[in-house]
Amino acid sequence: MRIGPHLLKNRLIVAPMAGVTDRPFRQLCKRLGAGMAVSEMVTSNSLLYGSAKTARRANHDGEVAPISVQIAGADPQMMAEAARHNVDRGAQIIDINMGCPAKKVCNVMAGSALLQDEPLVGRILDAVVKAVPEVPVTLKIRTGWDRAHRNALNILQIAENAGVQALAMHGRTRACGYTGEAEYDTIKAVKAEAKIPVIANGDITTPEKAQYVLEYTGADAVMIGRAAQGRPWIFREIEHFLTTREFLPQPDVAEIHAVLLEHIHDLYAFYGDVTGVRVARKHISWYTKGLVGSSAFRHSMNRLDTVAEQLAVVNEYFAQAAHADSRLRYEYQNNNAEDMPAATRLAA
């Protein structure tokens, strides 16, 4: 998988997720097997460049290459300036957000709302590509605005004509949000026509699903978002399965305890203790969701306000989990195999 001059180590990419894919999370996913990670979206509004949030999102200190930064907005000139601003601060790939379905983004005609205005899509892409000729520009879209207006093939042609060097597509329309199931027929149709790499996204939650999507669509890579929340090791699981057709066993409790501690310490350092504790709460909850005895743990953890308290309850929970079993143990309602990670299904 190549994007411009950047040859990725595999076909697995971390999807941009607002409030999730900050530098600590991107770095961790890369270490655990992802070939690339796209940043959470950065505003194109230059009035916000001095804000603490925007400054953090533009902080790539020590980040493993390639550094891909997603920008969002609806004004071609502002988007061009945002691309230049981020390249000057270390971005090696500029990704353009035309896939976010959030109302606050679409209400200002950004994100997936742009799919309704194909001429504007062209002007934005032309402006950004010309603004940063030294780095590749990529585009993230959905299949269309709604099911009656799936225009991804048109967007592909506009993107290729502008010089965009890769296209990522979520297999839902903007109107679908995250409801229902992602469909891959549109991605397959786009890949069949594309002269640039196509990245498939949506509902890729297991190694065998990643294999299926790659084979069915012919996509050059898959992009994984929500399935990596609290499970950043999913990338090594998928890479191992694609290479060997075998599942890795569930991780050791001790290893995931160490991974989580590394992650939350990075969050404390990145955000500061007060904000870091708040941001860490959701990650700790994701890491432990579904694990035996985790409900009471998460409830108590969410009421704690200091680094020391948070670390103490995390260490206590994982010590008890390790005492019960050396590997992670999940609770599944009605023993529903469809909800189980692949390795757990095999063990069962």
Side-chain angles (χ1 to χ4, degrees):
M1 174 65 184
R2 181 180 292 276
I3 299 178
H6 305 291
L7 180 64
L8 307 188
K9 69 178 183 180
N10 59 30
R11 308 165 73 186
L12 309 177
I13 300 173
V14 186
M17 294 176 282
V20 180
T21 50
D22 52 21
R23 192 188 72 195
F25 187 77
R26 297 194 303 272
Q27 284 286 70
L28 181 58
C29 289
K30 289 176 181 179
R31 185 170 70 75
L32 292 176
M36 189 175 80
V38 184
S39 77
E40 53 186 334
M41 60 184 176
V42 178
T43 180
S44 62
N45 185 349
S46 61
L47 296 176
L48 299 176
Y49 286 171
S51 73
K53 178 185 289 187
T54 301
R56 275 197 301 266
R57 291 183 176 183
N59 182 336
H60 311 292
D61 294 347
E63 187 166 354
V64 174
I67 297 168
S68 177
V69 176
Q70 186 180 81
I71 59 174
D75 180 85
Q77 187 56 41
M78 289 177 66
M79 289 286 280
E81 291 171 359
R84 183 77 258 162
H85 174 83
N86 283 281
V87 168
D88 289 344
R89 283 152 182 79
Q92 297 169 314
I93 298 170
I94 291 295
D95 185 60
I96 299 175
N97 182 337
M98 295 188 186
C100 179
K103 288 183 179 179
K104 68 178 181 180
V105 176
C106 290
N107 285 346
V108 293
M109 279 305 292
S112 55
L114 289 165
L115 300 177
Q116 297 175 102
D117 191 337
E118 293 179 5
L120 179 56
V121 168
R123 293 196 298 274
I124 290 173
L125 298 182
D126 285 337
V128 172
V129 170
K130 290 175 183 175
V132 289
E134 72 276 31
V135 305
V137 174
T138 61
L139 175 63
K140 175 79 185 293
I141 67 170
R142 288 190 163 225
T143 56
W145 175 249
D146 59 30
R147 292 177 181 175
H149 300 90
R150 287 194 174 109
N151 59 339
L153 280 168
N154 291 349
I155 301 297
L156 169 69
Q157 295 302 317
I158 295 168
E160 290 184 335
N161 290 339
V164 168
Q165 296 194 38
L167 178 71
M169 189 186 321
H170 186 110
R172 289 180 174 88
T173 67
R174 187 272 160 181
C176 291
Y178 293 101
T179 62
E181 295 183 357
E183 56 92 3
Y184 306 113
D185 289 334
T186 305
I187 299 175
K188 181 178 182 179
V190 167
K191 173 58 186 174
E193 298 293 328
K195 302 179 181 67
I196 59 176
V198 172
I199 303 159
N201 176 224
D203 293 356
I204 300 169
T205 57
T206 64
E208 60 268 50
K209 186 66 172 288
Q211 178 194 4
Y212 166 78
V213 172
L214 284 167
E215 292 179 350
Y216 183 78
T217 65
D220 300 275
V222 289
M223 180 173 275
I224 297 162
R226 289 173 292 166
Q229 293 175 357
R231 196 178 180 86
W233 57 94
I234 191 174
F235 297 99
R236 75 179 183 195
E237 293 178 333
I238 293 174
E239 183 174 27
H240 182 82
F241 183 79
L242 293 178
T243 303
T244 67
R245 296 300 186 264
E246 296 177 353
F247 295 107
L248 287 173
Q250 284 292 349
D252 289 338
V253 172
E255 181 196 6
I256 300 311
H257 184 193
V259 168
L260 176 54
L261 288 177
E262 174 191 345
H263 190 177
I264 61 179
H265 276 294
D266 282 350
L267 292 173
Y268 302 150
F270 190 65
Y271 290 99
D273 287 356
V274 175
T275 301
V277 166
R278 292 200 296 266
V279 174
R281 285 175 187 157
K282 63 186 175 186
H283 288 282
I284 295 168
S285 181
W286 288 330
Y287 272 85
T288 56
K289 183 178 180 181
L291 292 178
V292 172
S294 65
S295 178
F297 158 74
R298 290 197 306 276
H299 180 72
S300 63
M301 181 270 302
N302 285 331
R303 296 185 307 220
L304 305 177
D305 295 319
T306 71
V307 167
E309 291 172 324
Q310 196 169 69
L311 290 173
V313 297
V314 166
N315 290 333
E316 180 183 4
Y317 174 78
F318 277 90
Q320 292 175 353
H323 181 73
D325 197 313
S326 63
R327 296 194 182 275
L328 296 180
R329 297 171 59 208
Y330 288 87
E331 293 175 333
Y332 292 95
Q333 186 174 8
N334 299 325
N335 201 28
N336 185 352
E338 289 299 315
D339 294 334
M340 296 183 184
T344 303
R345 293 203 301 274
L346 286 179

